Amino acid sequence: MLDVRARHRFADFELDASFATSGGITVLFGASGSGKSTIANLVAGLLRPQEGRVVLGGRVLCDRQNNIWVPPHRRRIGYVFQDARLLPHLTVRKNLTYGRWFSKAPNDPKEFAHVVDLVGLNSLLERRPAHLSGGEKQRVAIGRALLCEPELIIADEPLAALDQARKAEILPYFERLRDAIDTPMLYVSHSSSEVSRLASTVVALSEGRVLQQGHPASVFGNPAVLPMGPRGAGSVLEVVVSKQHSDGLTELSAGGQRLFVPHTPQAVGARVSVRIAAHDVILARKLPEEISALNILPGLVTQIHMGEGPGAMVAIESPAGRFLARVTQRSVHRLDLVPGAKCFAIIKSVAIAPRDIH
Amino acid sequence: MQNLLSPMEWQAVLLSIKVAFWATLTMTPLALLTAYALVRWEFPGKSILNGLAHLPLILPPVVTGYMLLLLFGTQGLVGGWLQDIGIVLAFRWTGAALAAGVMAFPLMVRALRLSLEAIDIRLEQAAATLGASPVWIFVTVTLPLMIPGVLTGTILAFAKALGEFGATITFAANIPGQTQTIPSAIYALLQVPGQEAVAARLVVISVCLALTALFLSEALARRARKRLEGI
């Protein structure tokens, strides 16, 4: 679908990245300064790479070797910027239809109504951007990008400028988009919870290079991929809600293993993903007894990545899936943890917050 | 009004407005292009263009008038060629408009430049991703956002053109009814003993015209800014 290969040197930073995606939501994931936004800009045509090639759905947008360059206004890529960038002199309605005017698409009132519904802007159409909240602005930006009938939507950290409450307001719109519209999306983010909720593919970046690309579970299960540093590390388990208990716990089933988490509203039978932060996992060599933690998963150590400080990242393969545990190097030596070693992973139920479950 | 002013004064007032109006109108697109080039384009000779645009502001007006005469006089480089196609500027009201326009040009460029520099280029990028070509971006984003600056610039230029004296009298002379604007009429009146009262009337009129233009521009620019900020 989208095929990017680019090299670009700035004064203090060099991007050298290549990846290919196949529809759905691809999340470019990495710390600030890892080159995510640079990639977004060169896909959109706002930056001309010194070397490289960008192909979207078979259409060559940029090829430095063969001197091909499609300017941004002919790329048909809807861009949702971090700061919305609505045109201040136009009403919400005119902002929304701005792109349609140039795409020469027939003015389809049904399509307009559909998108306005999707982003919930019915009551705000005649307002000007100065009178919108941050969340409302971002919804206009999403609607505006959709209405120019793009072949790809780029969203560059669309939630980063919003507070927690507004983030929770906007994220569902992207989920709806993913489910309701089959336009592929390139979503730039440094938040692993956004990744686990949205991504069908993750491209993990660090210092201008692609570390790994793949399914979120496999990317986050790799102890060497820590674009956000060890504190932000975590893994994602794909599970099924199996029972709602009367004491306020929800029971999940993951590959035959039971997992207890604080109550989550999803119905029994629903497939959800649970994000488990690496520093919330305790490792033991023997099955612990009389312990308060409710979740004990048996597993095998597959990989150990020693950090530069006292910490180590241990990847565990269990029937429930792959996940990461962050422990000290001292513990690694004391427990004699080596690839292939049997162990038990202990996860406190209360360490899993409702926002980790989607 | 008619009996308040003599026909000669009345002519001077109307001519001044006509000259300033056409000077402003014809110089606006040129100033817009110059400001755009100075802010947005990189090209060799940019500092020379910047210097040329500011020249009328720093040269003695008489020198500017003389240079216009050399260029646009009937014997001049451009003037001779213009005469062949039937356009004569020197010693005509059109020449007065040219002189006033050239003198007002730097002021207008400066105002437009400021407003152009204040525009967030990222908005133009957003318009580009929505399918707007560079020309459409200019028409639908850049220009509307520049409106307060355009208003300030044109009114400033109009006021300057209204009061221009040195270059106008050098290039277009001081012919009553043809090239005699308010300032040259005041100058002529002050040369004759006993005409101070008449001159004073023209002085009051010119102060009123300039102030009206200034207040108008302030009010319009304020309204445009409010519209942009959506208040």
Side-chain angles (χ1 to χ4, degrees):
Chain A
M1 230 294 308
L2 176 67
D3 197 337
V4 179
R5 191 151 44 78
R7 202 195 293 254
H8 194 88
R9 199 189 302 266
F10 296 94
D12 52 350
F13 173 72
E14 190 186 346
L15 179 85
D16 184 359
S18 55
F19 64 93
T21 72
S22 54
I25 297 189
T26 303
V27 177
L28 295 175
F29 179 68
S32 60
S34 59
K36 318 178 290 281
S37 299
T38 310
I39 292 177
N41 283 341
L42 64 87
V43 171
L46 301 179
L47 173 79
R48 204 186 286 236
Q50 283 149 357
E51 270 175 66
R53 210 170 122 85
V54 177
V55 183
L56 173 62
R59 200 156 58 102
V60 181
L61 297 181
C62 163
D63 186 341
R64 291 314 304 251
Q65 224 166 8
N66 296 312
N67 249 326
I68 299 176
W69 173 256
V70 178
H73 68 277
R74 298 219 189 89
R75 292 199 173 193
R76 303 178 62 89
I77 293 178
Y79 204 137
V80 181
F81 296 91
Q82 182 178 338
D83 47 353
R85 303 197 195 176
L86 304 182
L87 301 175
H89 55 299
L90 302 179
T91 58
V92 168
R93 180 191 296 279
K94 284 189 177 153
N95 264 288
L96 286 170
T97 51
Y98 185 83
R100 261 191 120 58
W101 199 55
F102 297 106
S103 70
K104 291 173 188 95
N107 205 357
D108 181 358
K110 265 210 312 234
E111 169 76 8
F112 180 78
H114 174 67
V115 171
V116 168
D117 251 10
L118 197 71
V119 289
L121 288 171
N122 269 311
S123 57
L124 305 173
L125 286 174
E126 305 312 325
R127 287 215 199 156
R128 277 172 194 277
H131 293 273
L132 298 177
S133 72
E136 288 163 347
K137 277 185 196 158
Q138 212 48 278
R139 271 148 59 193
V140 179
I142 296 169
R144 178 174 81 164
L146 281 176
L147 276 167
C148 59
E149 301 189 330
E151 282 170 32
L152 173 76
I153 292 175
I154 297 178
D156 183 5
E157 306 223 23
L159 309 184
L162 306 175
D163 58 42
Q164 275 306 332
R166 294 286 92 71
K167 277 189 180 126
E169 173 197 326
I170 297 299
L171 202 51
Y173 288 104
F174 280 101
E175 285 177 310
R176 270 209 245 171
L177 231 63
R178 176 192 56 193
D179 303 335
I181 286 164
D182 49 10
T183 311
M185 196 186 307
L186 196 61
Y187 188 102
V188 173
S189 174
H190 66 252
S191 145
S192 47
S193 70
E194 282 170 42
V195 176
S196 56
R197 270 180 79 166
L198 294 173
S200 32
T201 311
V202 183
V203 177
L205 293 160
S206 175
E207 291 172 0
R209 267 148 236 273
V210 174
L211 284 178
Q212 199 187 349
Q213 172 182 5
H215 190 268
S218 74
V219 173
F220 288 130
N222 180 348
V225 176
L226 300 170
M228 290 317 294
R231 287 239 136 250
S235 43
V236 179
L237 295 181
E238 306 287 343
V239 300
V240 177
V241 178
S242 53
K243 199 171 172 192
Q244 299 285 8
H245 289 268
S246 56
D247 59 354
L249 290 179
T250 298
E251 186 182 327
L252 308 171
S253 161
Q257 300 289 317
R258 295 196 300 176
L259 210 57
F260 293 95
V261 296
H263 177 78
T264 111
Q266 284 89 348
V268 170
R271 311 192 116 266
V272 295
S273 50
V274 183
R275 194 185 115 78
I276 295 168
H279 56 69
D280 284 335
V281 180
I282 297 170
L283 294 181
R285 287 305 293 262
K286 294 195 187 111
L287 183 68
E289 290 170 355
E290 300 193 8
I291 183 169
S292 68
L294 295 174
N295 305 308
I296 301 174
L297 302 171
L300 286 177
V301 175
T302 55
Q303 259 178 298
I304 298 172
H305 181 78
M306 296 294 188
E308 280 163 19
M313 200 60 78
V314 182
I316 312 285
E317 183 77 54
S318 86
R322 273 174 76 97
F323 55 90
L324 293 177
R326 178 165 154 78
V327 296
T328 57
Q329 294 182 9
R330 182 183 294 196
S331 298
V332 170
H333 296 308
R334 209 162 48 106
L335 297 180
D336 198 17
L337 293 174
V338 289
K342 271 192 186 172
C343 67
F344 294 90
I346 301 154
I347 304 156
K348 284 169 67 111
S349 297
V350 290
I352 299 169
R355 64 183 155 86
D356 294 325
I357 305 167
H358 317 297
Chain B
M1 219 38 192
Q2 291 291 355
N3 30 8
L4 217 82
L5 292 173
S6 71
M8 169 231 168
E9 294 159 39
W10 193 236
Q11 259 175 355
V13 171
L14 286 182
L15 187 73
S16 282
I17 293 173
K18 181 161 104 174
V19 161
F21 175 80
W22 285 104
T24 310
L25 196 70
T26 47
M27 283 299 162
T28 304
L30 209 60
L32 207 53
L33 186 69
T34 310
Y36 197 87
L38 288 176
V39 175
R40 293 291 177 82
W41 294 340
E42 285 306 326
F43 54 93
K46 188 166 163 173
S47 52
I48 296 177
L49 178 69
N50 190 31
L52 275 178
H54 282 90
L55 214 53
L57 198 66
I58 45 178
L59 278 181
V62 180
V63 175
T64 305
Y66 181 61
M67 283 164 79
L68 285 175
L69 211 49
L70 289 181
L71 271 174
F72 292 98
T74 45
Q75 310 294 318
L77 280 170
V78 188
W81 175 76
L82 281 176
Q83 199 180 20
D84 289 343
I85 58 169
I87 300 173
V88 177
L89 291 171
F91 310 115
R92 306 282 169 93
W93 77 265
T94 45
L98 176 68
V102 166
M103 291 302 292
F105 187 71
L107 293 175
M108 190 155 12
V109 171
R110 288 177 80 85
L112 294 178
R113 236 181 114 155
L114 278 179
S115 73
L116 194 55
E117 278 165 354
I119 289 177
D120 190 350
I121 278 199
R122 297 173 315 155
L123 290 176
E124 300 182 1
Q125 287 183 338
T129 66
L130 292 166
S133 66
V135 173
W136 278 117
I137 291 175
F138 182 77
V139 174
T140 59
V141 180
T142 319
L143 203 53
L145 292 179
M146 281 179 75
I147 289 295
V150 173
L151 284 173
T152 315
T154 47
I155 302 284
L156 208 61
F158 183 79
K160 169 76 188 167
L162 215 51
E164 215 300 308
F165 175 68
T168 310
I169 207 163
T170 313
F171 182 55
N174 191 357
I175 308 161
Q178 283 187 52
T179 65
Q180 190 173 66
T181 57
I182 299 176
S184 27
I186 293 172
Y187 175 75
L189 286 168
L190 290 178
Q191 303 302 304
V192 188
Q195 293 291 310
E196 286 84 358
V198 188
R201 283 214 296 271
L202 284 177
V203 167
V204 170
I205 287 171
S206 95
V207 168
C208 288
L209 278 173
L211 282 180
T212 310
L214 194 68
F215 287 138
L216 201 67
S217 89
E218 290 280 309
L220 287 174
R222 203 165 30 239
R223 236 183 73 180
R225 246 192 307 275
K226 271 189 184 172
R227 255 181 78 88
L228 289 184
E229 283 154 18
I231 300 159

